Structure formats: C-alpha cells, structure tokens
Amino acid sequence: MTSAVTGFDAATIELLATSLREVFTAHPDAQGVAAALDELGWDEVSASDPAAATTLLFTEHGRALAISRLLDDIVLRELTPALPAGTGNRAVLYCHPQHALLLGPLDDITELVTLDGAGNVGIIAAESVSARPIRGFDPGSGWLCIDEIPTARPLLVGDAGQRAVAAARRALCAEIIGICTTALDSAVAHTTSRIQYGRQLATFQAVRHRLAESYVAVEAARAALAAAWADGGVWTARLAKLRAGQAQAELMRHTVQLFGAMGLSQEHELHRRVTRAAALDLLLGGHTAQADEVGAALLAGADLIRVVEI
C-alpha cells in the first residue's frame, strides 16, 4: 500500500492485514464475518483512518477470494442518511441494463436499495423479486441474479447516490488489486521455481517482460486508488475503477500464459482469481464501459483532473 492511502505505519498495516487474513480464512462463506470484524474492533480502525481501513479490508477480501456483504455496508453507509426509515434489514441490488445482482441471499432482508452506475437510487420490497444463483463464470462468488427487476420507487437523494457509487468503486478497486497481487505472487513463485533448459523460467526475457508489465499494471491501479482517496470525488473513483479493471485484464492474460494450461483448469487456484477479478470489474461498470464514458465526457468538454502526475 502506498503511503498516500494510509496514515498507519508499516507495522500497524501488517498487524491489521494479518488479522483480516485470519478473519477471512476462518469465515470463507460470509457467515460470521461481521461478528469477527466487530470483535476485531474494525469500526474503531475505520473511524481512525477510513481510506486505509477500507483499502486494507477489501484488499485482503480479494486476496482471500472471500464472499460477504461488506460492499453493501459501504454503499448503505453513504445512502442511509438520505433514505427514508426502513422497515427492516436492507441489502443493495446492483442494477445493470439487463439484470441486477445481489451479493447474498435474501433470508433476513425486507427491503432492497437499488443502485445503478449513474447513482440512481430506489427501494423495492425484497419479497417482490425472484433471485437465482449465478452459474457459469464465477459460481463461487455466492452472488444472485435477478432477471426481472420490478420498478423501484425512485428516491431523490441528492448526490448521495453518486457518492455511494464512488465509495463502492474505490472498495472494488482495492479488492481487484488484492486478487491481482496474489495472482502475480503465484506467477513469480512458479516461474522462479520451475526450471527449463537448465534455467529458471523467470530468467527468460519474454517471461520477465510479462511479469514486469503485470507489476506495472497493479502499481498503476494502486496509484490511481490512492489518488481517488486523496481527491474523494466521483470522477477519480471512476478512473481508479477503470485502471483496476484494465490491470486485471492485462495481468490475468499474462499469468494464465505463464502458468501454461494449468491456469485454465478448474483445479488450479489461478482459475478462481481470473473469474472473480473479471466479475468484480463488471460490477458497477466494467473498464471498457468506463473508458467509453470518460472518453465521451472529454469529447463533450469535461475538465477532468489528471489522476496521476507523470
């Protein structure tokens, strides 16, 4: 983590990261994560440095390929002050043009707060939707898909909707970085331990280029996230999410190549990282869609700030 993201010292970051790894290892299926974080005193950590705490939390969430509703918490934290009083537990329904996604089951949920990438917000009754498990690309995510989305009661929440999207995109950026970092570590370990023609794979120039390009992609995403936290705005969060999406696409392409056919098999750990990173990229707008929107805004005369000084 760069120093621009956190006010914690290195020893504190390592201690918190280790504690989070233990939490996600002990609760890989989302059950008990909230209670474990409460026991860890995470609210106090988050209050002392929200940027560092959120980045750490979602980076480790990504490294562990954990499933939870922590992203809902980020969104609802921004939206709740602008929402009418609820009738029970709420979850977030992430709306896309053809479908909507839930991060978990509706067992104890009475209301769904709908949110799309533009920051439009509504509320629907949980009992009015029929959710089905996502199959195929990333069945391990635990996400549910809703094909027929009831018309939500639109809410006027000011800029809270856009702030919620920005907060979610910063968290998703950190989670993608966590997945990418672990995938790159695996690729480095593989290419430095495997011997071909009497040399480590990592000593061949073509392999070194792929590793170097992957590292640069992750560090660029990390720098964009730091800039997004420093600015706190909607556009920098969008650009950070765009950069993280580009990084996962480039890094996963390289690491799958470096692992050979093993990286494409269901049995290999890399397969899960490829699918999860791609799914997270698409949540609240994939990097290609984000690039289109940024380009359209620039052509329309938008004065966007430079995320990272070159």
Side-chain angles (χ1 to χ4, degrees):
M1 180 181 300
T2 65
S3 58
V5 176
T6 178
F8 297 139
D9 59 35
T12 302
I13 291 174
E14 184 55 34
L15 178 63
L16 292 172
T18 300
S19 299
L20 290 172
R21 287 169 200 156
E22 292 173 355
V23 167
F24 291 130
T25 299
H27 307 280
D29 58 355
Q31 299 295 323
V33 168
L37 290 176
D38 285 343
E39 185 176 351
L40 193 61
W42 196 253
D43 284 346
E44 185 177 345
V45 175
S46 185
S48 65
D49 193 334
T54 303
T55 301
L56 262 178
L57 180 64
F58 281 88
T59 298
E60 294 306 322
H61 197 273
R63 291 175 68 95
L65 293 176
I67 56 176
S68 74
R69 276 212 159 103
L70 292 176
L71 189 66
D72 284 8
D73 296 341
I74 295 291
V75 170
L76 293 174
R77 189 177 303 156
E78 294 290 340
L79 289 179
T80 296
L83 295 178
T87 59
N89 291 331
R90 286 171 166 168
V92 179
L93 184 62
Y94 300 88
C95 297
H96 299 81
Q98 303 300 325
H99 61 273
L101 295 171
L102 291 164
L103 301 186
L106 293 171
D107 299 342
D108 58 346
I109 304 298
T110 58
E111 288 185 332
L112 295 175
V113 178
T114 64
L115 178 69
D116 64 18
N120 296 310
V121 179
I123 291 182
I124 59 176
E127 61 185 10
S128 66
V129 303
S130 178
R132 62 173 174 82
I134 286 183
R135 297 185 178 87
F137 198 61
D138 186 18
S141 68
W143 294 359
L144 302 176
C145 182
I146 295 175
D147 300 311
E148 297 183 9
I149 310 169
T151 302
R153 175 162 53 97
L155 298 174
L156 299 176
V157 296
D159 65 351
Q162 291 192 339
R163 286 191 285 104
V165 171
R169 283 174 173 160
R170 288 191 292 267
L172 288 167
C173 182
E175 188 164 359
I176 292 171
I177 289 171
I179 297 173
C180 289
T181 301
T182 308
L184 181 57
D185 289 346
S186 299
V188 170
H190 175 72
T191 54
T192 53
S193 62
R194 190 173 177 86
I195 305 298
Q196 289 287 326
Y197 306 109
R199 297 167 53 187
Q200 293 174 323
L201 272 180
T203 63
F204 290 93
Q205 189 177 51
V207 173
R208 295 172 71 175
H209 283 174
R210 291 181 184 275
L211 291 172
E213 289 170 3
S214 299
Y215 177 81
V216 169
V218 174
E219 290 307 308
R222 208 187 301 274
L225 177 59
W229 273 113
D231 172 73
V234 172
W235 274 104
T236 48
R238 180 194 294 272
L239 292 170
K241 178 73 163 32
L242 188 165
R243 199 66 192 88
Q246 290 174 330
Q248 66 83 28
E250 181 173 4
L251 181 143
M252 294 304 174
R253 183 172 64 252
H254 288 328
T255 51
V256 165
Q257 181 71 30
L258 293 174
F259 273 99
M262 289 190 298
L264 292 174
S265 66
Q266 292 279 354
E267 292 77 13
H268 198 278
E269 181 72 11
L270 184 62
H271 171 81
R272 296 182 61 210
R273 303 197 182 283
V274 171
T275 55
R276 182 64 55 83
L280 291 171
D281 174 39
L282 293 175
L283 194 59
L284 289 175
H287 67 277
T288 55
Q290 299 297 324
D292 288 344
E293 292 187 24
V294 171
L298 288 171
L299 290 173
D303 184 19
L304 305 182
I305 70 167
R306 185 177 298 170
V307 174
V308 179
E309 294 294 335
I310 300 174

